[in-house]
Amino acid sequence: MKILQFPLTKITIFFIIGILVSYYANTSVTTALILLFISFFVFCVCFLLSKKDFIQKIHFGLSLYLLSLSVGILNQVVHTDYFQKDNYIHHISNYNKEHLVEIVLREKLKSTKFSDRYIANIKLIDYKKSSGKILINFYNDKLNDKLKTGSILQFKGNVVKHKTVNNPDQFDYGKYLTQKSILAQMYVNTSDVKINSKLVKDIWFYSNELRLRIIKNLNKSGFSHNELNVVSALILGQKQGISPEILQDYQFAGAIHILSVSGLHVGFIILFLNFLLKPIPNTKLGSYIKLSITLAFLWSFAILAGMSPSVIRSVTMFSFIAIGMHLKRKTYIYHTLLASLFFILLCEPSFLFDVGFQLSYTALFFILWLQPLLTKIWIPRNKIIAYFWDIITVSFAAQIGVMPLSIYYFHQFPGLFFVTNLIILPGLGVIMALGIFVMMLAAFNYVNVFLSKTLEWFIYILNSIINWIASFERFVFQDISFNWYLLISLYGFIIATIIWFKKPNYTKIMVALTMTLLFQLSYFTTIWSTQNQKELIIFNVNKSTLIGERIGRDVTLFSKDSNNKNNMLQSYLVANFSKIKAQKPLDNLAYFKNKKILIMDSLGIYTNSVKPNIILLTNSPKINLQRLFLDFKPEIIIADASNFKSYIRLWKETCEKEKIPFHATAEKGFYRLQ
């Protein structure tokens, strides 16, 4: 791979490794600064020793990569809000106490049945100047209509730490928020909120106002609700209003990426701009004019789309690509791709852990690297056939690249993705161009009825096609068990196979076969490891008791409830390559690895001869724990989510007095016994 010969490639790789090391090792500021000082000193010494021939000296290259690694470590530390001294998280000594906060609303998220959610910036907490992002949950109320981006609010409430996952292998929303530097959240009644008459009018405020004006004007014109929500996602990056049914259709059809403003949309914009700017001569001055117009339009689109992280990523990436196109050298495309990657991570290293960021860059890299190879398989003479062949090759290149990541994160794969792209992509450019034009007019309070109805009709056809493709559910492969061992080995196999396919020789085919064996070995090792595992899980199920015993890949469920909560269990089964073998009624006594578990229900009946190691309290038994401790000396007391909260608080206090560990699943999540 020639790309590995680029110096910027190795610098970027070591920079990324530095970010990963800092993130997982939780590097302190002092350690990061010391590492940077040492690496910079070594770099300077190697530079002086190398003199004019430093490019050819191995020790200079190593010192440069060490410096890049150290910069990556420090960059991650600097951008971690927790290490900022004025972050609000450091001003909270008691999370059970109410705090007076002043915030500025930054971004509206998708509402739930019970609350409207916003990301906000903290200005003051208990009259202390503070910083940092927080998630605010406003209980639904008429006052929420007055809330907008830039509003300054003041209220009292409890700052709540992110909860751990309720059950094993579920999506960790708290970790997801933390990666976005949102370290806590608050739940607020709007009746307790004081709204400042002033607004913080920054770029996010004006961007939000512009979007609201566009949507309001399109609503007035009679634009259909469902179609308006889809076009808002397609052009403005706002998919909060899309119904779950439409979202599922797009997922099953393999087209969910078009509902989030990403590289695909920005790529269409660049192609459309290149078409419009063709009359400008390709002189030096003309080239600069084209580049200036392209960059100005891209960043205007970013503002229109709300300056969300995904939009900024895509626009930054394609801004570098536009510069590379301006340089008129194909080899520069990899340089610009790497430069954009390095620049984005330098400004916001947390993007590295964002799924959208990983999918965008992986898809683009495989399109640039693999698609030219696929086009050589067959070269159609007919221009129309060649156009559709290009769509197929681009789709396959992108999907081959993102397939392992998609399966790893979402555990499903849409088998008809190529059909979706073949049908949709030819018309998507037209929809994008028309949508942007209609919204630009709407931004100036003018809506052309013919154009808006044409756009609405296009979106209706798009939704109908997606719904039709999604109806073939047998082609949607779901609940695919996949772990990071398989992820790495599968990418190794794909990359080695492509390298061999480009220029076949004995060495390359042996490497490809070795990676094939490694992938198979990863799978069989995973299965063997799973077969030798044994664990008992007390799940956190609201108003119910559910225990699962996994021996190898077989799971046995114990419950008094006929509803086995298969939907809740699915993530656990998929993550552990397992299946439900049997369902049995819950008894009052259970055994696991020489541990005796007493399960007490609402009757609270037990015998002194049991002598359990663990006591599980279910269905709010009326018992005196102190008297129970006189009879038994349990290792731990567990209370599941079938108990009253008042009972759990009382039991917790009793266990603290008696110095016996207490685990409430409603507070700490599931309990695992291995």
Side-chain angles (χ1 to χ4, degrees):
M1 294 174 67
K2 291 182 179 180
I3 190 173
L4 293 177
Q5 298 173 6
F6 299 158
L8 183 58
T9 302
K10 297 172 184 177
I11 291 172
T12 305
I13 289 173
F14 278 92
F15 178 74
I16 290 173
I17 292 173
I19 294 174
L20 293 172
V21 168
S22 180
Y23 177 80
Y24 288 107
N26 199 22
T27 310
S28 66
V29 178
T30 305
T31 303
L33 288 172
I34 292 172
L35 288 173
L36 182 65
F37 175 79
I38 293 172
S39 61
F40 183 72
F41 177 77
V42 172
F43 172 77
C44 291
V45 171
C46 291
F47 177 79
L48 294 173
L49 291 175
S50 299
K51 296 182 180 179
K52 294 182 180 180
D53 299 325
F54 62 87
I55 294 179
Q56 301 173 5
K57 301 294 184 181
I58 294 177
H59 57 264
F60 175 80
L62 293 176
S63 67
L64 178 60
Y65 303 146
L66 178 62
L67 179 61
S68 178
L69 178 77
S70 301
V71 171
I73 291 173
L74 182 63
N75 188 51
Q76 171 64 22
V77 171
V78 169
H79 284 87
T80 301
D81 281 6
Y82 182 82
F83 292 116
Q84 306 300 322
K85 291 183 179 180
D86 63 344
N87 190 278
Y88 67 90
I89 211 76
H90 301 305
H91 298 158
I92 302 172
S93 57
N94 186 357
Y95 283 91
N96 296 319
K97 173 187 171 184
E98 286 192 337
H99 298 274
L100 177 66
V101 299
E102 184 173 298
I103 63 168
V104 178
L105 296 184
R106 175 60 64 219
E107 180 185 353
K108 190 177 190 307
L109 303 179
K110 188 177 181 68
S111 299
T112 67
K113 292 181 179 179
F114 308 103
S115 64
D116 290 335
R117 305 184 304 149
Y118 289 81
I119 295 174
N121 289 339
I122 294 278
K123 291 185 67 179
L124 296 172
I125 184 163
D126 295 331
Y127 303 104
K128 295 178 183 178
K129 188 176 180 180
S130 302
S131 66
K133 292 190 287 187
I134 191 168
L135 177 64
I136 308 294
N137 300 271
F138 294 105
Y139 293 117
N140 287 329
D141 191 88
K142 294 180 180 179
L143 181 62
N144 289 329
D145 296 333
K146 299 179 182 179
L147 302 179
K148 59 173 64 177
T149 298
S151 297
I152 302 174
L153 310 178
Q154 193 177 79
F155 50 82
K156 274 190 173 183
N158 292 95
V159 177
V160 181
K161 286 184 177 180
H162 300 313
K163 291 183 178 180
T164 56
V165 290
N166 287 328
N167 290 296
D169 304 302
Q170 285 186 334
F171 173 66
D172 194 339
Y173 188 60
K175 183 180 179 181
Y176 168 79
L177 291 175
T178 302
Q179 287 177 344
K180 293 182 175 294
S181 298
I182 303 170
L183 303 181
Q185 50 187 309
M186 297 183 73
Y187 296 84
V188 183
N189 287 310
T190 49
S191 57
D192 300 329
V193 176
K194 294 180 181 178
I195 303 179
N196 196 313
S197 57
K198 295 181 180 179
L199 294 169
V200 176
K201 296 184 178 181
D202 51 18
I203 190 171
W204 285 275
F205 169 80
Y206 289 111
S207 174
N208 184 64
E209 288 296 299
L210 182 61
R211 290 197 309 275
L212 290 176
R213 183 195 301 176
I214 291 170
I215 293 172
K216 182 180 179 181
N217 288 331
L218 290 176
N219 258 323
K220 284 183 179 179
S221 71
F223 213 101
S224 175
H225 181 70
N226 283 336
E227 281 69 37
L228 180 57
N229 286 332
V230 171
V231 80
S232 295
L234 192 65
I235 309 296
L236 303 178
Q238 305 297 304
K239 56 181 181 180
Q240 296 94 330
I242 300 179
S243 68
E245 293 78 19
I246 292 178
L247 278 176
Q248 181 175 289
D249 284 346
Y250 276 80
Q251 287 173 348
F252 284 5
I256 191 65
H257 55 283
I258 75 172
L259 293 181
S260 300
V261 176
S262 61
L264 175 68
H265 305 73
V266 183
F268 273 123
I269 291 172
I270 281 192
L271 292 175
F272 183 64
L273 286 174
N274 286 339
F275 173 76
L276 293 179
L277 299 175
K278 268 189 176 181
I280 299 176
N282 289 324
T283 61
K284 188 175 182 180
L285 177 61
S287 181
Y288 277 110
I289 291 174
K290 287 182 180 180
L291 178 63
S292 300
I293 293 174
T294 300
L295 294 178
F297 197 91
L298 285 179
W299 285 100
S300 298
F301 175 75
I303 294 172
L304 178 68
M307 297 293 288
S308 65
S310 62
V311 174
I312 294 174
R313 283 197 312 264
S314 302
V315 170
T316 302
M317 180 173 67
F318 277 93
S319 294
F320 277 88
I321 290 174
I323 295 170
M325 293 168 63
H326 166 72
L327 295 174
K328 298 180 181 179
R329 293 187 182 181
K330 291 184 179 179
T331 55
Y332 274 84
I333 192 68
Y334 287 115
H335 285 93
T336 52
L337 182 65
L338 286 167
S340 68
L341 175 65
F342 186 87
F343 178 77
I344 290 173
L345 293 180
L346 187 64
C347 296
E348 188 53 73
S350 65
F351 282 170
L352 182 61
F353 308 98
D354 186 271
V355 178
F357 178 86
Q358 296 171 16
L359 292 174
S360 294
Y361 268 94
T362 303
L364 183 58
F365 172 76
F366 273 85
I367 289 172
L368 295 174
W369 185 45
L370 180 58
Q371 197 262 347
L373 180 64
L374 296 177
T375 55
K376 293 178 182 178
I377 296 175
W378 179 47
I379 304 176
R381 295 182 180 181
N382 186 287
K383 289 185 177 180
I384 297 176
I385 297 175
Y387 173 72
F388 283 98
W389 174 242
D390 283 340
I391 291 176
I392 293 174
T393 55
V394 167
S395 299
F396 265 94
Q399 286 293 340
I400 288 172
V402 303
M403 178 184 65
L405 277 175
S406 298
I407 296 174
Y408 177 72
Y409 284 116
F410 308 117
H411 298 287
Q412 68 177 31
F413 186 76
L416 294 178
F417 71 88
F418 64 95
V419 176
T420 303
N421 289 329
L422 191 62
I423 296 174
I424 288 176
L425 288 185
L428 189 59
V430 177
I431 294 174
M432 286 285 298
L434 180 60
I436 291 174
F437 184 66
V438 168
M439 290 193 172
M440 287 176 64
L441 294 177
F444 291 97
N445 296 320
Y446 174 74
V447 178
N448 184 286
V449 177
F450 173 75
L451 293 178
S452 66
K453 288 299 178 183
T454 302
L455 177 62
E456 181 183 340
W457 182 78
F458 277 147
I459 297 297
Y460 173 79
I461 296 298
L462 175 66
N463 287 345
S464 300
I465 293 172
I466 293 294
N467 178 261
W468 173 69
I469 296 174
S471 65
F472 298 95
E473 293 189 17
R474 61 183 176 275
F475 292 104
V476 181
F477 306 102
Q478 296 178 284
D479 300 328
I480 304 172
S481 296
F482 209 71
N483 57 25
W484 73 272
Y485 300 104
L486 295 173
L487 174 69
I488 300 300
S489 58
L490 182 55
Y491 267 120
F493 164 72
I494 291 172
I495 292 171
T497 303
I498 294 171
I499 292 173
W500 166 74
F501 199 65
K502 277 180 173 285
K503 289 184 179 181
N505 60 40
Y506 177 78
T507 303
K508 291 177 181 177
I509 194 172
M510 289 305 297
V511 172
L513 290 174
T514 301
M515 295 310 301
T516 305
L517 292 174
L518 182 61
F519 177 68
Q520 293 175 335
L521 181 63
S522 298
Y523 177 76
F524 289 118
T525 301
T526 300
I527 297 301
W528 178 83
S529 176
T530 303
Q531 291 283 16
N532 288 277
Q533 292 174 356
K534 187 176 181 181
E535 64 181 11
L536 184 138
I537 304 288
I538 299 173
F539 293 94
N540 181 44
V541 184
N542 189 35
K543 297 180 181 180
S544 183
T545 298
L546 180 64
I547 299 175
E549 183 183 33
R550 181 170 68 87
I551 301 176
R553 301 177 67 185
D554 296 327
V555 176
T556 302
L557 298 179
F558 299 91
S559 176
K560 291 183 178 179
D561 190 352
S562 58
N563 184 2
N564 56 30
K565 308 291 188 302
N566 276 349
N567 292 333
M568 181 273 295
L569 286 169
Q570 198 59 41
S571 59
Y572 173 73
L573 297 173
V574 171
N576 291 280
F577 296 76
S578 305
K579 64 182 185 301
I580 297 176
K581 180 184 179 182
Q583 300 180 52
K584 298 180 179 180
L586 185 65
D587 295 326
N588 291 109
L589 201 61
Y591 297 88
F592 183 80
K593 286 188 175 181
N594 300 320
K595 298 285 185 181
K596 189 181 294 184
I597 306 169
L598 174 63
I599 303 168
M600 300 189 66
D601 55 19
S602 57
L603 299 176
I605 299 174
Y606 64 93
T607 60
N608 294 339
S609 59
V610 174
K611 305 297 181 184
N613 304 99
I614 299 170
I615 297 177
L616 172 61
L617 304 175
T618 67
N619 296 306
S620 306
K622 296 180 180 179
I623 58 170
N624 187 319
L625 271 188
Q626 289 181 328
R627 186 181 303 167
L628 186 68
F629 293 155
L630 293 176
D631 297 327
F632 310 129
K633 295 293 181 182
E635 298 173 7
I636 188 172
I637 300 292
I638 303 169
D640 67 13
S642 66
N643 298 286
F644 296 136
K645 292 182 179 180
S646 57
Y647 281 38
I648 293 174
R649 285 195 297 268
L650 181 62
W651 294 334
K652 183 178 180 180
E653 292 174 1
T654 304
C655 287
E656 286 176 351
K657 289 179 182 178
E658 299 294 331
K659 297 182 179 180
I660 292 178
F662 179 77
H663 183 103
T665 62
E667 178 184 344
K668 299 180 180 180
F670 68 96
Y671 183 83
R672 175 184 273 121
L673 190 62
Q674 292 179 319

